Amino acid sequence: MLSMIRVRNTLVALAFTTLLGCSIDSPASTPTTQQVNVTIYSTYATQPLTRTLTDRYLDTHPEFSIKVVDNSYDDLITQIADGSAEYFMSSYVPSDDDIWAAPIARDGLVLIAHPDNPVSSVQIDDIRGIFNGRITEWGTLSGNDRLITPLTFQPNDDVYQEFHRLVMGKQGITSNAQVIPNIKAMIQQVSTMPDAIGYIPLSHVTDAVKVLSIDDIVPTQSTVTDNIYPLRITLFIIGREEPPAEYRAFFSWIQSLDGQTIVSQKYVSLP
């Protein structure tokens, strides 16, 4: 029996199942495999991992047909509540006692700046000060004297929710922050704005931006694995109840060695 997550930091492991993919033998017929059709939803931030895992699973499970649908975090929570979606992947779990969730991967949340920015490391309190409007010039952080341009996401984004949880706490983000629609646009904006600072998942980092150390700790898969890097996040499968057999088979595979080997190519595998 799978357990319900009622505290967001609890990690629930899925029990493995062999209910699906089994042929039904008949003395007078050839064994057949029934086609299984499921739909998995994902936030925009978790979409690359969702699609990679789905594609690799289908390579070895031809009896499955999995449709992947992307949407915003807020819309997916609404769909889960009204029953129009069953399960979705996200980097943020709501504080709702009725939510079931199971971990599938780990990642880091990183601060990014323009490659020419002289600042290489910031403190957590500095980040909070930048995004609440208390720190407005790079010179405060031993950079140049130019004004800082903070970039953030919409509040209906799961990456925004994790940033708020890990960094901002009960403090709001300054109204001077520019709101960026998605991670790709965040990277594009920071790479072309010398005074900008933004945040994205470690798994999405490209050479177009400079990744800042936090408290002099460089964000890498190793520092996330070793619980050294301070801004660590977990990706979850989220639903209203424990998954039925057709979903459980896929979710259990993700948590298996095969699934976690794929996860570890760009993310951090589960402990």
Side-chain angles (χ1 to χ4, degrees):
M1 180 66 69
L2 297 177
S3 300
M4 186 85 71
I5 283 188
R6 295 191 181 279
V7 180
R8 77 178 330 277
N9 289 325
T10 303
L11 300 186
V12 176
L14 286 159
F16 285 84
T17 180
T18 56
L19 295 177
L20 293 179
C22 297
S23 298
I24 302 174
D25 295 326
S26 172
S29 63
T30 302
T32 59
T33 301
Q34 184 176 2
Q35 185 74 22
V36 180
N37 300 301
V38 299
T39 300
I40 303 294
Y41 295 79
S42 74
T43 62
Y44 298 123
T46 58
Q47 181 261 4
L49 179 61
T50 305
R51 291 190 179 276
T52 297
L53 288 170
T54 299
D55 289 345
R56 295 296 294 273
Y57 185 72
L58 294 178
D59 286 343
T60 54
H61 295 78
E63 74 277 14
F64 269 80
S65 174
I66 303 178
K67 180 181 179 181
V68 177
V69 179
D70 312 324
N71 209 338
S72 70
Y73 171 81
D74 272 5
D75 285 344
L76 289 173
I77 285 294
T78 300
Q79 289 181 264
I80 290 291
D82 66 21
S84 59
E86 295 189 72
Y87 298 95
F88 74 94
M89 297 188 185
S90 170
S91 59
Y92 180 75
V93 179
S95 55
D96 186 335
D97 285 348
D98 293 330
I99 289 293
W100 175 92
I104 57 172
R106 294 180 292 166
D107 204 352
L109 193 61
V110 302
L111 276 296
I112 57 173
H114 190 275
D116 294 336
N117 194 311
V119 174
S120 297
S121 182
V122 291
Q123 307 295 310
I124 291 288
D125 189 58
D126 294 335
I127 303 169
R128 190 178 301 113
I130 290 170
F131 282 89
N132 68 17
R134 177 172 54 85
I135 297 176
T136 59
E137 294 185 359
W138 283 108
T140 307
L141 308 176
S142 300
N144 55 47
D145 293 329
R146 297 173 66 91
L147 293 177
I148 300 173
T149 304
L151 309 181
T152 188
F153 296 109
Q154 292 279 2
N156 66 352
D157 187 277
D158 52 333
V159 179
Y160 170 96
Q161 293 291 339
E162 280 296 272
F163 179 77
H164 216 282
R165 181 182 70 87
L166 292 169
V167 177
M168 302 307 294
K170 296 181 179 180
Q171 299 185 30
I173 291 180
T174 174
S175 59
N176 291 326
Q178 294 186 19
V179 178
I180 306 301
N182 54 55
I183 292 173
K184 183 178 180 180
M186 177 70 78
I187 294 172
Q188 172 65 22
Q189 285 290 93
V190 172
S191 69
T192 58
M193 298 176 62
D195 304 322
I197 185 170
Y199 55 92
I200 59 172
L202 174 62
S203 56
H204 289 255
V205 167
T206 74
D207 293 337
V209 294
K210 179 178 185 176
V211 177
L212 303 181
S213 298
I214 297 180
D215 298 336
D216 295 321
I217 299 171
V218 179
T220 64
Q221 285 186 313
S222 295
T223 56
V224 172
T225 299
D226 295 338
N227 295 325
I228 298 172
Y229 182 69
L231 302 185
R232 303 182 303 275
I233 60 179
T234 301
L235 280 64
F236 290 91
I237 302 163
I238 299 172
R240 276 292 173 189
E241 57 189 10
E242 295 181 14
E246 62 267 26
Y247 284 95
R248 184 187 296 258
F250 178 46
F251 298 164
S252 296
W253 174 84
I254 295 174
Q255 290 188 333
S256 72
L257 179 59
D258 287 344
Q260 290 299 295
T261 298
I262 296 168
V263 166
S264 65
Q265 293 173 1
K266 291 198 70 175
Y267 296 77
V268 176
S269 60
L270 297 175

